[in-house]
Amino acid sequence: MTHGTAHPGGAPALRLTVLVGEEDVWHRKPLYAEVVHRARHAGLAGASVFRGIEGFGSSGIVHTQRLLSLSEEMPVAVVIVDAEERVRAFLPQLDELLAGGGLVTLDPCEMFSCRRTGGKGGAGAGEGGRG
């Protein structure tokens, strides 16, 4: 992007955030990894997992990653962005996966596709997605 260039509007989208504990599992596999696997299998544009450094949930117990307090149950957020109908079609899979607990939020957003022009770089949500 060059400075001062007009930005065309992005496509309407829905951001789905799944909040679970790092130690939550689905058939001996990390729950967050299963969410990502199913999102990919469902053809969603992309998914990213973020590990929290401190947080609490419905139990009220604060989990933290401070020195001398290495909690194993850190909060984890899986973020998925795609067209609203595609995200909503994915929700029934989360009902099954989160039967043991977790939280899902949905937020309207705009989706812009920024393509790399070459070279190596880090992967981000939606990289290599439809388009």
Side-chain angles (χ1 to χ4, degrees), residues 64-122:
T64 184
Q65 186 184 349
R66 293 193 187 143
L67 205 59
L68 303 177
S69 178
L70 299 176
S71 174
E72 294 179 356
E73 185 62 349
M74 299 306 300
V76 174
V78 181
V79 178
I80 298 168
V81 177
D82 205 330
E84 181 173 357
E85 62 275 4
R86 296 176 60 80
V87 170
R88 290 194 182 277
F90 184 66
L91 292 176
Q93 292 200 50
L94 295 178
D95 283 339
E96 177 187 7
L97 292 174
L98 301 179
L103 178 68
V104 175
T105 63
L106 296 171
D107 303 291
C109 61
E110 282 185 81
M111 190 167 43
F112 292 87
S113 181
C114 299
R115 307 237 186 255
R116 289 188 291 167
T117 57
K120 294 184 179 182

Side-chain angles (χ1 to χ4, degrees), residues 6-18:
H7 226 23
L14 199 60
R15 177 178 47 235
L16 177 144
T17 304
V18 181

